[in-house]
């Protein structure tokens, strides 16, 4: 059961770490895109994009490295890397803000172009309608040509040789004047028909839904600008900065935080088993005592002295080791002790752990030591 729980914990942590790394890769993608745009006129702009992307990847792992170096008392290296991290963070903020502003400017340019086209079409339609009014709003060309055909079917059109001035008489003069007016009206009607066709075409264009690239990229910016009276450009820049800071905080610190929450897989130092000690033998005259090996006596003497030194150690550390063994059934390892006591050195914690273990078995060791000494004297 504990192994299954540990396996599920590891799998869950791996999933969370994968999500954190995926979220952090968003900043890397934006850095690469900014490098491509920045080096757009170079022969190989992808090199600049790759360089910025690699720098952004390094930035993601720096917080964990800085904390580890600081905990191991490498303060100078940690401070230097902190400066490097701040510079890379600033570069990423600049990249994100710039790419957001560039894309919005491009979309706004498309929107302005579409808006200008619509304005020009409306102006052209108004001018065509005014011209038709100037022409007297003539009827369609087909109606005018039908009237002209009526004049041509008249006998006077044939007798005057199509209203030739040389053959026009006073009796046919009025007829030819009307025919001439209709022929002049035919030109105006043809022009009016062309203008009417253009007006219909413009109306179809204006009623057709605008394509996506012609729509406003961020309509909410215009709404905020109208409500608060701010400039649309200022609102867009503030949004780009907020977007960049949010992504950088997500990509720069979340993976390191998840890394420090990783489950502990190590078993730590093994718990020393208590060695059964021989029962104390009373001093009886004439009873021989069994011989005692000398090598274990030296080992016990060393441990006993260690236990005596351990009694002077930090009681908080000793109490932590004892409680940890009671809860987990094993001794804490150095990373677990450093997480509890970050101000103490690694060697100090290691000695304190040894002292705590020896102190727990100190009474039995002292009893065995006294027994061996008595036997050696006897």
């Amino acid at each position: 059961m504990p192994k299954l729980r540990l396996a599920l914990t590891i799998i869950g942590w791996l999933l969370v770490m994968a999500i954190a790394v995926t979220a952090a890769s968003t900043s890397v993608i934006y850095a690469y895109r900014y490098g491509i745009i920045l080096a757009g006129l170079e022969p190989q702009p992808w090199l600049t994009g790759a360089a910025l992307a690699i720098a952004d990847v390094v930035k993601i792992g720096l917080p964990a490295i800085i904390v580890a170096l600081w905990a191991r008392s490498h303060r100078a290296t940690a401070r230097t890397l902190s400066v490097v991290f701040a510079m890379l963070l600033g570069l990423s903020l600049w990249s994100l803000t710039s790419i957001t502003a560039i894309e919005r400017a491009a979309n706004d340019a498309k929107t302005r172009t579409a808006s200008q086209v619509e304005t020009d079409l409306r102006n052209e339609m108004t001018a065509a309608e005014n011209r038709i009014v100037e022409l007297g709003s003539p009827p369609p060309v087909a109606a005018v040509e039908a009237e002209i055909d009526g004049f041509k079917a008249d006998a006077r059109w044939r007798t005057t040789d199509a209203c030739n001035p040389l053959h026009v008489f006073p009796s046919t003069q009025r007829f030819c004047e009307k025919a001439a007016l209709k022929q002049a009206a035919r030109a105006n009607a043809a022009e009016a028909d062309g203008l009417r066709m253009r007006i219909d075409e413009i109306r179809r264009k204006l009623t057709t839904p605008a394509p996506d690239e012609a729509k406003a990229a961020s309509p909410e910016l215009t709404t905020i600008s109208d409500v608060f009276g701010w400039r649309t450009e200022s609102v867009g820049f503030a949004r780009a900065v907020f977007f960049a800071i949010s992504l950088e905080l997500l990509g720069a610190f979340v993976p390191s935080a998840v890394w420090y929450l990783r489950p502990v897989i190590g078993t730590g130092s093994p718990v020393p088993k208590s060695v059964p000690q021989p029962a104390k033998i009373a001093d009886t005259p004439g009873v021989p005592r069994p011989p005692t090996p000398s090598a274990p006596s030296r080992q016990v003497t060393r441990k006993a002295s260690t236990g005596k030194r351990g009694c002077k150690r930090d009681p908080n550390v000793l109490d932590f080791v004892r409680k940890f063994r009671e809860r987990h059934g094993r001794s804490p390892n150095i990373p677990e002790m450093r997480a509890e006591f970050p101000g103490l050195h690694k060697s100090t914690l290691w000695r304190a752990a040894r002292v705590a273990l020896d102190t727990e078995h100190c009474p039995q060791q002292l009893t065995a030591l006294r027994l061996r000494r008595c036997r050696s004297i006897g």
Side-chain angles (χ1 to χ4, degrees), residues 167-175:
H167 300 85
V168 175
F169 300 100
S171 59
T172 59
Q173 184 175 2
R174 182 63 179 170
F175 172 79

Side-chain angles (χ1 to χ4, degrees), residues 24-216:
S25 63
T26 306
S27 176
V28 179
I29 295 173
Y30 273 90
Y32 178 78
R33 293 177 59 192
Y34 178 70
I36 293 292
I37 295 176
L38 187 65
L41 300 179
E42 297 181 2
Q44 294 177 332
W46 65 271
L47 291 176
T48 304
L52 291 179
I54 292 173
D56 206 86
V57 171
V58 173
K59 177 208 66 182
I60 294 174
L62 276 181
I65 297 174
I66 292 171
V67 173
L69 289 174
W70 189 272
R72 287 169 172 78
S73 300
H74 299 288
R75 305 298 173 84
T77 306
R79 292 190 185 97
T80 304
L81 289 181
S82 299
V83 175
V84 175
F85 173 75
M87 295 175 65
L88 293 178
L89 186 63
L91 179 61
S92 297
L93 287 173
W94 181 273
S95 301
L96 277 170
T97 305
S98 299
I99 194 68
T100 305
I102 290 172
E103 290 181 349
R104 181 179 178 275
N107 292 329
D108 288 347
K110 294 178 182 178
T111 304
R112 285 193 297 269
T113 301
S115 178
Q116 185 62 39
V117 169
E118 181 181 355
T119 302
D120 294 341
L121 289 176
R122 292 187 180 278
N123 292 335
E124 183 181 357
M125 184 174 64
T126 302
E129 292 173 347
N130 294 335
R131 177 58 181 167
I132 292 174
V133 173
E134 291 177 0
L135 293 174
S137 301
V141 178
V144 177
E145 288 182 348
E147 294 180 1
I148 292 176
D149 291 340
F151 280 98
K152 291 180 180 180
D154 195 293
R156 289 172 290 182
W157 182 263
R158 294 190 299 272
T159 58
T160 58
D161 192 15
C163 288
N164 190 339
L166 298 177
H167 300 85
V168 175
F169 300 100
S171 59
T172 59
Q173 184 175 2
R174 182 63 179 170
F175 172 79
C176 290
E177 289 177 353
K178 290 182 179 180
L181 289 176
K182 288 298 178 182
Q183 289 179 347
R186 182 181 182 281
N188 293 340
E191 182 180 356
D193 280 358
L195 292 174
R196 292 189 185 101
M197 293 178 60
R198 179 57 181 168
I199 289 174
D200 293 340
E201 182 180 357
I202 292 174
R203 284 175 178 170
R204 284 195 300 271
K205 290 182 178 180
L206 292 177
T207 55
T208 302
D212 293 337
E213 60 269 12
K215 297 178 181 179

Side-chain angles (χ1 to χ4, degrees), residues 360-374:
E360 183 177 350
H361 302 283
C362 186
Q364 295 84 350
Q365 293 171 350
L366 292 178
T367 302
L369 178 61
R370 294 192 188 98
L371 178 61
R372 292 190 181 96
R373 287 180 177 176
C374 292

Side-chain angles (χ1 to χ4, degrees), residues 1 14 22 41 118 124 180 212 229 233 276 284 354:
M1 195 65 181
L14 290 176
T22 303
L41 300 179
E118 181 181 355
E124 183 181 357
D212 293 337
E233 292 77 8
T284 304
R354 293 294 303 273

Side-chain angles (χ1 to χ4, degrees), residues 256-280:
S256 297
V258 176
W259 171 255
Y260 280 110
L261 294 177
R262 65 189 185 277
V264 179
I265 303 177
T267 58
S269 59
V271 180
K273 298 180 180 180
S274 58
V275 180
Q277 303 293 336
K280 186 175 181 180

